[in-house]
Amino acid sequence: MRTQIWDTDPEAKPKPRQVFADDMAFRFRAGRSVNDRPVALENWRVTTGDPEVAAAVAQLMGGTPEEWETSKEDFLEVLTTSDSVQVVIDGVKDIDSRFVLWGRTGGPIHECDGVNFLSPEEEAGTPCTCPPLLADRKAQARLGRGPAPQTRITFRLAEDYHLGKGQLTSTSWELVKVLHEIDDALDAVGGEALCSLSLELVEFTTSSGQAVAFRKPVIKVLKAYSAAIADDPYDGES
């Protein structure tokens, strides 16, 4: 028999969590656009299309859910007050790193793993044309003649594991430099790993005396997530 418990109070009936086209409940971002100009942020910005997810993120990381102008599904943003959060990454398969040069029509005209082409299909697996030295790759990318990093990290929030999967897409060269260390640490865990995901301030002075400051995403693998749950039986049960 069909339950009728909500027939007299339909507004109180729990609403199913939205499932989006890319199966991501939320996205982490390190910046935003202000007057059509990119602005780096000190704390994480999280976007989603689910009001429940936005509210949960705000409770965990601070901030207030607000709508922002976008044509995509994640029309809510939370400008959090946190520059670091603990996340769960399920091995190296949850980190995808490649080099991409985008064309004027919005699609990639060069996509490789740094050694071989990833697309188009007829060229996949064949050697790419990228210079071997990282400095030369950065120089070409800066001039718009070569691909730049695109690293996607998929994860769950450790303190709200069942909220769903989120993703960070980063174009940071600094992150690319240490991805092999992150991969090794994840392999050593051999499964779901408790990690910290933070925005770290980098400051230095160039040889010409110019002061430079920016924030880079930093991932630190802490320990196996199963060990974290054993240490705290409430961890992940939100």
Side-chain angles (χ1 to χ4, degrees):
M1 179 181 296
R2 185 183 70 87
T3 180
Q4 298 180 7
I5 190 172
W6 303 114
D7 288 3
T8 60
D9 191 8
E11 292 301 317
K13 182 177 180 178
K15 296 177 176 59
R17 178 156 291 161
Q18 296 185 42
V19 177
F20 301 108
D22 60 3
D23 200 32
M24 292 295 152
F26 56 89
R27 294 187 176 278
F28 269 44
R29 303 175 186 269
R32 66 190 308 216
S33 179
V34 177
N35 296 326
D36 295 326
R37 290 190 174 186
V39 176
L41 300 173
E42 295 183 359
N43 299 312
W44 288 114
R45 171 180 173 237
V46 183
T47 61
T48 180
D50 190 328
E52 292 183 17
V53 172
V57 168
Q59 182 177 8
L60 176 63
M61 301 179 64
T64 303
E66 295 181 353
E67 292 190 14
W68 66 293
E69 188 175 346
T70 179
S71 60
K72 298 181 180 179
E73 296 172 319
D74 55 342
F75 66 96
L76 292 170
E77 68 175 1
V78 181
L79 299 177
T80 77
T81 58
S82 302
D83 63 2
S84 182
V85 66
Q86 289 194 342
V87 300
V88 180
I89 300 177
D90 191 9
V92 296
K93 66 182 180 62
D94 275 355
I95 298 181
D96 179 89
S97 182
R98 56 189 63 201
F99 290 87
V100 183
L101 176 62
W102 299 98
R104 293 182 179 179
T105 59
I109 58 176
H110 179 118
E111 188 173 19
C112 70
D113 60 7
V115 177
N116 297 317
F117 280 111
L118 297 172
S119 69
E121 186 175 351
E122 60 270 18
E123 293 186 20
T126 62
C128 65
T129 55
C130 294
L133 298 181
L134 186 65
D136 293 336
R137 295 188 189 193
K138 290 179 69 174
Q140 285 194 357
R142 193 177 297 114
L143 294 172
R145 299 174 183 172
Q150 180 175 280
T151 304
R152 288 195 180 103
I153 302 111
T154 302
F155 56 89
R156 294 176 181 269
L157 295 174
E159 294 188 50
D160 203 339
Y161 183 93
H162 299 293
L163 193 62
K165 289 184 177 181
Q167 195 170 81
L168 166 67
T169 299
S170 172
T171 58
S172 169
W173 289 92
E174 297 300 314
L175 179 59
V176 168
K177 290 179 183 178
V178 297
L179 275 181
H180 64 287
E181 299 176 4
I182 299 170
D183 287 346
D184 290 346
L186 290 172
D187 281 338
V189 169
E192 289 189 318
L194 179 68
C195 308
S196 66
L197 176 61
S198 59
L199 284 173
E200 184 176 291
L201 178 63
V202 178
E203 296 179 299
F204 64 92
T205 302
T206 66
S207 56
S208 62
Q210 181 181 1
V212 177
F214 64 92
R215 290 184 181 270
K216 65 177 181 179
V218 174
I219 300 171
K220 294 182 180 179
V221 180
L222 304 176
K223 57 183 171 181
Y225 182 57
S226 57
I229 295 175
D231 293 340
D232 181 359
Y234 296 100
D235 197 13
E237 295 300 322
S238 300

